[in-house]
Amino acid sequence: VDYAKTDVNAKVLGVSENIGEMEQVPILLTARTHLSTNPKVSPYIGIGIGYYLNDWEMSDALKSEIPPGYSVDTEDSIGFHVNLGVESFVNKHVALNLEAKYIWNRTDVELKSPYGTWIDESVDLDTFYLGVGVKYYF
């Protein structure tokens, strides 16, 4: 399980403006295989699937520009990923980790008015992720 939160900007008439924040909690399942016979350094590759809990919050600037009663709704989504990484063992219980992951993900976004759905679009949420970590093995 991970967590990501990012500002979203839109360019309208050549001006970029913050329109809100996208919050995402992915629950990932990854199959990976280690490629090394070296006990200290272990590179790996993986492939997986994830269920993404998506939430959108409009910025105050956008709220002030649209009429009351309008809202943005994002659907939860399913995505796929591939990853490549390496673990370097400091001792038998602790490893340093470096991982790159590419995620393919789309979600449906609806702009709703008091009179019904105004815009219904599918939005790409593809992401490149680079992580550094420390793992402890029991």
Side-chain angles (χ1 to χ4, degrees):
V1 176
D2 286 330
Y3 174 82
K5 188 173 189 176
T6 187
D7 290 333
V8 178
N9 295 322
K11 193 176 252 189
V12 179
L13 300 174
V15 177
S16 182
E17 183 176 340
N18 180 278
I19 59 171
E21 289 183 329
M22 180 70 169
E23 184 178 61
Q24 197 173 59
V25 178
I27 302 167
L28 306 175
L29 178 63
T30 306
R32 74 180 194 186
T33 184
H34 288 260
L35 306 171
S36 178
T37 57
N38 183 334
K40 295 285 261 176
V41 179
S42 182
Y44 60 88
I45 58 173
I47 187 168
I49 188 169
Y51 185 77
Y52 295 81
L53 305 169
N54 300 313
D55 188 40
W56 172 265
E57 184 177 331
M58 262 192 276
S59 70
D60 291 338
L62 183 59
K63 286 179 189 175
S64 69
E65 294 177 15
I66 63 173
Y70 283 76
S71 64
V72 177
D73 183 35
T74 56
E75 297 292 322
D76 293 343
S77 56
I78 293 177
F80 302 93
H81 60 272
V82 294
N83 62 335
L84 174 65
V86 64
E87 290 181 354
S88 177
F89 287 85
V90 177
N91 60 42
K92 71 178 191 174
H93 294 291
V94 178
L96 302 177
N97 177 260
L98 176 64
E99 180 176 274
K101 183 184 302 179
Y102 192 82
I103 300 169
W104 292 272
N105 185 12
R106 291 178 70 82
T107 188
D108 291 329
V109 177
E110 293 180 341
L111 177 57
K112 296 181 178 181
S113 75
Y115 313 105
T117 300
W118 183 37
I119 296 175
D120 187 1
E121 293 287 331
S122 185
V123 176
D124 284 329
L125 298 175
D126 296 354
T127 305
F128 176 74
Y129 163 88
L130 184 63
V132 177
V134 177
K135 291 184 178 180
Y136 182 81
Y137 291 91
F138 295 96

